[in-house]
Amino acid sequence: MKLTATFRIALRALKRNKMRSILTMLGIIIGVAAVIAMVGVGNGAKSQVEAQIATLGKNMILIFSGSMTSGGAKGGWGAAGTMKVEDAVSIVREVPGVTMVSPEIRSGAQVAAGNQNWFTSILGEGPDYFDMRQWEFSSGSSFTEQDTRSANKVAVIGKTTATQIFGEEDPVGQIIRVRNVPFKITGVLKSKGLSLMGSDQDDVLVVPYTTAMKRLTGATSLRGINVQAASDDIMNRVQDQIGALLRQRHNIRPGHDDDFTVRGQQDIAEMATAQSKTMTILLGAIASVSLIVGGIGIMNIMLVSVTERTREIGIRMAVGAHGWDILLQFLIEAVTLSSLGGLIGIAIGFGTAQSISHFVGWPIMVPPMYVIGSFFFSAAVGVFFGLYPAKKAAALDPIDALRYE
């Protein structure tokens, strides 16, 4: 019997029991839809985190002061100011492949201009900080190396802080007071949005780190150092050399813990995306169980169908159909159910992911390989779970089948 004729017979059999066919496909539909939706949302969240990591800059290495032990008490990142300005100077001088370095001081303060005031983050940085972070200016420019050496009272203001204090007025050249110390604004940064931790990167005032140490905080140590490597392929080597240099400068003996932490941009990205990766895999695995359950449903219905249509099978064999034709007919029915369920599930999965994106505001990203993989996996489920009922139908004895009531 021709394949096309067998295919038509299989479709007619499915049409005779439309509701049963739809209910049989339901497990496959739910499974594929869940896989597509969960993978889409999970990958979208991962891409969002990676985009936020990219706002750090290019080839960035972050050095955090901390991990200290005092009187039996231990602390992690930022627990103590263990970094010095001299450490930053040594890094840029002695570590090959380092292009820029910016010592960092962090604090927060109420800032004011005229009759407006606003609490914002205060960053003490080097003049290279803006190039390292790839932070463009909407107006004005950065403070200079001379401003840093002289600890001048100059500042660069973020978009959010500028709007809160100056409204629509251009802040460049105006005076803003930080802890009653007047600072002249040299530039306004373009918006960067939220950081990896969800804080507003535009709610910031950046001043020379020397000015922050001498005029605002009185600190003698750094909370961190930002380093930029020349290229991505030397990041690991530069990290190792920075670690070795700092251990030498801080007189840390072998076997003792570092009093600093060095993290590359790739390390931070992997740490940030690890949870979303785990959740995506977990949700995808749970959703895949529905496909197995759907496959079991297909096997169950096909076995029932074989029993119901035993006499029909006997008649077909009596008029010349071979066992292979019977096997192919039932296999086509099973694969049609699973494949059609897979296609519907893909459409519903995309719709669900789009709905989640619309109402929750999350991006979605469904790689084509997942769509293709979901379809072929659903078809494979039909083959796997439909093969046994098809073999059982093909193995029927024509005489016994004709006598079946």
Side-chain angles (χ1 to χ4, degrees):
M1 184 179 292
K2 294 182 179 180
L3 181 62
T4 53
T6 304
F7 193 78
R8 285 197 299 269
I9 293 171
L11 289 180
R12 281 201 301 268
L14 293 176
K15 288 180 181 179
R16 281 201 301 265
N17 296 282
K18 292 180 181 178
M19 182 56 67
R20 188 168 73 179
S21 298
I22 292 172
L23 292 175
T24 303
M25 289 189 296
L26 199 56
I28 301 294
I29 292 172
I30 293 173
V32 172
V35 169
I36 294 296
M38 293 303 99
V39 167
V41 172
N43 283 337
K46 180 184 171 185
S47 69
Q48 191 174 36
V49 171
E50 289 173 345
Q52 290 174 344
I53 291 291
T55 64
L56 289 175
K58 188 177 181 181
N59 303 329
M60 290 287 290
I61 298 172
L62 307 182
I63 308 170
F64 305 95
S65 70
S67 286
M68 63 88 187
T69 302
S70 178
K74 295 183 177 181
W77 293 359
T82 58
M83 309 297 297
K84 301 292 183 181
V85 173
E86 292 76 17
D87 291 327
V89 174
S90 296
I91 288 171
V92 76
R93 285 180 178 174
E94 300 181 31
V95 178
V98 171
T99 56
M100 288 184 282
V101 168
S102 175
E104 183 171 283
I105 296 288
R106 284 183 175 266
S107 64
Q110 203 78 20
V111 299
N115 62 352
Q116 300 295 322
N117 68 89
W118 182 255
F119 186 87
T120 190
S121 298
I122 308 296
L123 288 184
E125 300 287 352
D128 291 332
Y129 177 73
F130 307 103
D131 289 333
M132 295 168 66
R133 291 285 309 274
Q134 298 180 331
W135 214 331
E136 298 178 356
F137 287 80
S138 59
S139 63
S141 60
S142 168
F143 46 79
T144 65
E145 186 66 42
Q146 179 59 43
D147 290 325
T148 304
R149 284 197 297 267
S150 304
N152 290 338
K153 293 177 286 186
V154 291
V156 171
I157 194 169
K159 191 67 176 177
T160 299
T161 309
T163 302
Q164 293 295 330
I165 298 293
F166 298 100
E168 297 301 319
E169 189 178 355
D170 188 0
V172 175
Q174 301 204 47
I175 300 299
I176 189 169
R177 298 187 306 278
V178 185
R179 296 174 182 167
N180 292 322
V181 178
F183 282 77
K184 181 180 179 180
I185 296 175
T186 64
V188 181
L189 294 166
K190 285 187 177 180
S191 178
K192 265 213 169 188
L194 297 179
S195 71
L196 182 63
M197 304 305 293
S199 60
D200 187 356
Q201 295 185 91
D202 305 315
D203 191 0
V204 67
L205 192 74
V206 187
V207 302
Y209 70 90
T210 50
T211 308
M213 296 174 76
K214 293 179 181 179
R215 303 182 187 276
L216 296 179
T217 66
T220 58
S221 59
L222 305 173
R223 289 288 173 168
I225 301 174
N226 300 301
V227 178
Q228 185 178 57
S231 62
D232 181 67
D233 56 349
I234 65 171
M235 289 276 286
N236 291 333
R237 177 173 61 81
V238 171
Q239 283 181 241
D240 293 340
Q241 291 180 346
I242 289 173
L245 175 63
L246 292 178
R247 285 183 64 87
Q248 180 185 357
R249 288 186 54 81
H250 295 188
N251 297 316
I252 300 173
R253 295 191 301 272
H256 288 68
D257 293 336
D258 294 338
D259 62 357
F260 59 88
T261 304
V262 182
R263 286 287 181 268
Q265 198 165 2
Q266 186 61 34
D267 298 331
I268 297 172
E270 289 175 358
M271 291 169 59
T273 58
Q275 186 175 6
S276 62
K277 282 181 181 177
T278 302
M279 288 303 298
T280 300
I281 292 171
L282 178 62
L283 292 171
I286 293 173
S288 298
V289 173
S290 298
L291 290 173
I292 305 301
V293 174
I296 294 172
I298 289 176
M299 178 183 284
N300 181 53
I301 291 301
M302 295 308 297
L303 286 171
V304 172
S305 181
V306 170
T307 302
E308 289 179 345
R309 294 155 62 189
T310 300
R311 188 173 181 82
E312 174 194 328
I313 294 169
I315 293 172
R316 288 195 59 201
M317 287 182 170
V319 296
H322 301 288
W324 169 253
D325 298 319
I326 304 299
L327 184 144
L328 192 60
Q329 175 189 340
F330 281 87
L331 200 57
I332 287 174
E333 291 181 23
V335 173
T336 301
L337 286 173
S338 61
S339 299
L340 188 57
L343 290 174
I344 297 172
I346 289 170
I348 293 175
F350 268 107
T352 304
Q354 291 285 358
S355 299
I356 293 173
S357 176
H358 176 73
F359 289 108
V360 184
W362 292 350
I364 63 164
M365 183 181 295
V366 183
M369 60 173 292
Y370 282 96
V371 177
I372 297 171
S374 295
F375 174 76
F376 280 106
F377 186 76
S378 63
V381 166
V383 172
F384 182 81
F385 288 98
L387 190 59
Y388 174 71
K391 283 185 174 181
K392 186 177 179 180
L396 288 175
D397 182 86
I399 297 175
D400 292 337
L402 286 169
R403 291 175 176 173
Y404 185 83
E405 294 294 337

